[in-house]
Amino acid sequence: MINRLSTGKSSYKCFRYEEGRDKPGDVRNVMLVVASLIASVTFQAGVNPPGGVWQDNSSGHVAGRAIYAYQSEVYYVFLIANTLALSASILVIISLTYRFPFHLEIVIATISMIVTYSSAIFAVTPDESVRFRYVIAAASVPYILQIFIQLFNIVFENNEKPESENSEKVVLNY
């Protein structure tokens, strides 16, 4: 055991993705499981915020509001990071299930989940503690990045074609 630790070799090498060894279907399944776990955890954290919610109306707080939200800066960071993670995991799930049976139903379910998450965070967050436009911006970041990546690929795909495909053929007759 001590020799294994002292060799300096990483035990993670056998777990890395290798294109020739790993099947695309298996990789997609693993990514779906990981994305689903991330979506579950972030959804739950948004619906039931850390620290819970106030149970009564006293001492300047309102019942049903997140206790953590009264530390506005740290709650704000939590809410944006949590929303970003949820949004990215939903994008992965939708992308990996594209053209699968019941894809429309998956999209409807994820949209419903986003609406439920949004209504829950709006319900437990005091109006004065968070600017929700930043939360909405955080939710849109993965989708905007994906659009830019697709546009980048389209633009540079045309530039990488051989010269004969991009230019018109000119035939000279003598």
Side-chain angles (χ1 to χ4, degrees), residues 98-137:
Y98 181 68
R99 292 191 177 176
F100 272 33
F102 302 108
H103 180 71
L104 177 62
E105 289 81 358
I106 292 171
V107 170
I108 292 169
T110 54
I111 289 172
S112 299
M113 190 170 77
I114 291 170
V115 170
T116 304
Y117 174 81
S118 301
S119 63
I121 64 170
F122 283 119
V124 300
T125 304
D127 296 333
E128 62 275 358
S129 68
V130 175
R131 295 184 183 112
F132 284 107
R133 63 179 171 258
Y134 296 124
V135 175
I136 293 169

Side-chain angles (χ1 to χ4, degrees), residues 10-160:
S10 174
S11 62
Y12 295 109
K13 284 186 180 181
C14 62
F15 296 114
R16 290 183 186 163
Y17 171 74
E18 288 183 25
E19 193 169 338
R21 179 189 67 189
D22 298 322
K23 297 177 187 173
D26 292 342
V27 173
R28 182 184 57 239
N29 290 341
V30 168
M31 290 179 66
L32 275 170
V33 168
V34 171
S36 298
L37 288 172
I38 293 170
S40 299
V41 168
T42 54
F43 179 83
Q44 189 64 29
V47 173
N48 295 323
V53 294
W54 294 106
Q55 300 299 315
D56 59 358
N57 291 330
S58 64
S59 303
H61 56 263
V62 178
R65 299 296 178 153
I67 295 170
Y68 194 36
Y70 288 91
Q71 299 173 357
S72 62
E73 292 82 20
V74 291
Y75 182 69
Y76 183 61
V77 170
F78 158 75
L79 196 57
I80 288 183
N82 194 59
T83 303
L84 184 61
L86 177 66
S87 182
S89 64
I90 287 174
L91 176 63
V92 170
I93 291 168
I94 290 174
S95 298
L96 291 176
T97 58
Y98 181 68
R99 292 191 177 176
F100 272 33
F102 302 108
H103 180 71
L104 177 62
E105 289 81 358
I106 292 171
V107 170
I108 292 169
T110 54
I111 289 172
S112 299
M113 190 170 77
I114 291 170
V115 170
T116 304
Y117 174 81
S118 301
S119 63
I121 64 170
F122 283 119
V124 300
T125 304
D127 296 333
E128 62 275 358
S129 68
V130 175
R131 295 184 183 112
F132 284 107
R133 63 179 171 258
Y134 296 124
V135 175
I136 293 169
S140 64
V141 165
Y143 300 96
I144 292 170
L145 282 175
Q146 186 66 26
I147 289 169
F148 281 136
I149 290 168
Q150 294 299 322
L151 288 174
F152 181 83
N153 288 338
I154 289 169
V155 167
F156 286 102
E157 183 180 283
N158 290 334
N159 291 340
E160 292 178 1

